[in-house]
Amino acid sequence: MEAVAWTFRPLWKTKENFNITNAGNNVLLFALELEVDVEKVLLREPWSFDCHLVLFQRFDGSKPSKDLDFKLCSFWVQIHDLPYQFLTPKAAVEITETIGPVTVSRDTAEMKGGTFMRVRVVIDISRPLCGGRKIMYDEDSERWASFQYERLPNICFWRGMLSHDDKECELWLRSKGTLSVESQQFGHWI
């Protein structure tokens, strides 16, 4: 717990201090004194510790901590390979709504990345990441728009999962290390 506090305290730069309690089963309860500090931490997701994703969830203490379901995290998702006519906030939201709920920013300037668009999406980490979508330009043509996720921690390149990395993957373990890198579905491009 001390290492976690030592890592996050300077990153979060909270106005007031916070306390950490170990709830067991890899769950830590962070008690932040100010709502503005809570919002700041949640808005700057994803967080990682030792290259592993750290999931946060609001908790009011009304139920046992063992009943908390840690499977959602917000990521900035970049949409690449879009034609110029689709480099709009509206198109970016419509495309990324297919992978999770979108948080639309009040400042649409942060959605524009030059040759790509970026959108904040709540991702269900119990499912593989989505590498992109086919986009219909008109009745006769379609094209692949690829997704890149900002600030990804360790990821399994075999299955696209955030819950484990390559060396912990069942596919890798069952193969006894014989799978080739070329057979990975994902790579550093994601």
Side-chain angles (χ1 to χ4, degrees), residues 4-167:
V4 171
W6 185 82
T7 300
F8 287 134
R9 194 163 271 121
L11 294 174
W12 290 351
K13 298 178 184 146
T14 56
K15 293 183 184 223
E16 294 290 331
N17 204 2
F18 59 86
N19 295 314
I20 305 175
T21 305
N22 188 347
N25 200 24
N26 293 322
V27 174
L28 299 176
L29 300 177
F30 292 85
L32 288 91
E33 295 179 19
L34 298 176
E35 179 64 24
V36 68
D37 288 337
V38 173
E39 288 299 322
K40 185 166 55 169
V41 168
L42 294 175
L43 284 173
R44 292 172 48 206
E45 278 185 315
W47 295 100
S48 61
F49 178 76
D50 195 24
C51 296
H52 295 281
L53 184 63
V54 177
L55 298 177
F56 287 92
Q57 187 177 101
R58 286 182 181 273
F59 179 60
D60 62 6
S62 63
K63 59 184 175 181
S65 60
K66 69 178 179 63
D67 291 342
L68 294 173
D69 188 20
F70 293 99
K71 68 178 193 175
L72 301 176
C73 187
S74 293
F75 287 91
W76 279 102
V77 179
Q78 297 177 6
I79 312 162
H80 290 265
D81 306 318
L82 289 171
Y84 185 77
Q85 70 193 40
F86 286 90
L87 292 173
T88 66
K90 182 179 186 267
V93 167
E94 287 178 9
I95 293 167
T96 53
E97 280 179 331
T98 62
I99 59 173
V102 171
T103 304
V104 179
S105 176
R106 281 182 242 148
D107 181 10
T108 57
E110 68 182 353
M111 294 176 72
K112 297 177 182 176
T115 60
F116 63 89
M117 294 299 292
R118 60 194 289 268
V119 180
R120 192 132 175 93
V121 183
V122 177
I123 303 292
D124 180 348
I125 66 132
S126 66
R127 300 174 46 185
L129 292 176
C130 179
R133 286 281 183 257
K134 284 185 180 177
I135 308 298
M136 296 294 295
Y137 294 102
D138 55 40
E139 301 160 1
D140 301 322
S141 58
E142 65 182 18
R143 192 175 170 139
W144 183 258
S146 61
F147 297 156
Q148 292 180 6
Y149 298 78
E150 296 181 9
R151 294 176 43 204
L152 272 183
N154 283 343
I155 177 176
C156 172
F157 290 141
W158 304 109
R159 297 177 59 205
M161 299 295 292
L162 290 166
S163 57
H164 61 272
D165 65 16
D166 290 348
K167 302 300 183 208

